[in-house]
Amino acid sequence: MIQYQDHLRDITEASLAEGFFDGWPNPPSYAVFMQILRNASSCILAKDEQTGKVVGFITALSDGVLTAYIPLLEVVPAYQKQGIGQELTRRMIEKLKGIYMVDLLCDPDLQPFYEKLGMRKAQGMLIRNYEHQSGRTHPQ
Ligand SMILES: CC(C)(COP(=O)(O)OP(=O)(O)OC[C@H]1O[C@@H](n2cnc3c(N)ncnc32)[C@H](O)[C@@H]1OP(=O)(O)O)[C@@H](O)C(=O)NCCC(=O)NCCS
């Protein structure tokens, strides 16, 4: 069974299943992963009750008044296609329902996934500083 939680109380680096940041050439370490989870305005985790490991997560960054951005959603490959990604997103959208702007960026092949959850297509702009893909070297 998968359990969902929106806090990090019982979570350490060792709780995070292997396989996150799949395909990233220069992924963040799991210490940095913990920082990402801690610093997010909200995060929701999917935990395998049997192993106690976190197998999926979604984060949001928000000003708490008008806007929120969903930067990261991932389910480790072994747990994909079981509805976990959909449930994490549904729960985050519910959590952000008092917020006017809720935005995210995704590849076109994932647009139907988000459309099913009530989001609509938009255009966006971005910068990627690839030298910092594993995390900021000198946090301010
Ligand atoms: C996207 C992701 C979170 C979905 O998680 P999941 O637990 O497998 O998703 P669910 O089981 O809830 O839903 C599966 C649905 O998503 C669709 N889907 C998942 N990944 C997809 C992809 N890359 N392209 C197109 N559709 C995709 C499946 O086809 C399926 O659709 P269906 O219900 O019509 O069959 C997961 O594939 C993942 O972690 N991918 C790598 C990271 C990523 O791309 N994150 C999104 C950043 S915007």
Side-chain angles (χ1 to χ4, degrees):
M1 278 282 283
I2 300 294
Q3 252 184 347
Y4 296 89
Q5 64 184 63
D6 63 359
H7 61 82
L8 296 171
R9 283 195 286 280
D10 52 343
I11 304 300
T12 65
E13 243 177 89
S15 321
L16 307 170
E18 279 175 35
F20 282 108
F21 301 99
D22 189 38
W24 286 43
N26 188 19
S29 68
Y30 273 26
V32 172
F33 186 6
M34 281 302 296
Q35 269 184 291
I36 291 167
L37 295 174
R38 276 193 221 104
N39 291 356
S41 318
S42 308
C43 72
I44 303 176
L45 308 176
K47 205 161 74 174
D48 182 332
E49 261 179 348
Q50 268 187 330
T51 62
K53 295 276 187 185
V54 173
V55 297
F57 78 103
I58 187 168
T59 54
L61 306 177
S62 177
D63 56 28
V65 185
L66 204 69
T67 71
Y69 177 64
I70 298 177
L72 291 170
L73 162 70
E74 189 169 4
V75 175
V76 292
Y79 286 80
Q80 288 179 8
K81 299 198 186 295
Q82 300 173 31
I84 300 172
Q86 206 172 329
E87 185 59 20
L88 285 167
T89 312
R90 195 191 62 70
R91 284 174 185 248
M92 185 56 88
I93 289 172
E94 175 65 21
K95 219 171 151 60
L96 298 173
K97 73 177 178 202
I99 296 285
Y100 169 58
M101 292 165 58
V102 178
D103 299 348
L104 65 77
L105 286 169
C106 70
D107 290 338
D109 64 343
L110 266 174
Q111 286 176 329
F113 171 86
Y114 290 113
E115 276 178 328
K116 273 192 206 153
L117 292 158
M119 302 194 79
R120 56 192 165 89
K121 287 179 192 158
Q123 295 190 355
M125 303 290 286
L126 57 79
I127 291 173
R128 290 288 181 268
N129 296 312
Y130 285 104
E131 70 276 23
H132 298 305
Q133 192 178 57
S134 63
R136 188 178 193 140
T137 348
H138 301 293
Q140 283 179 338

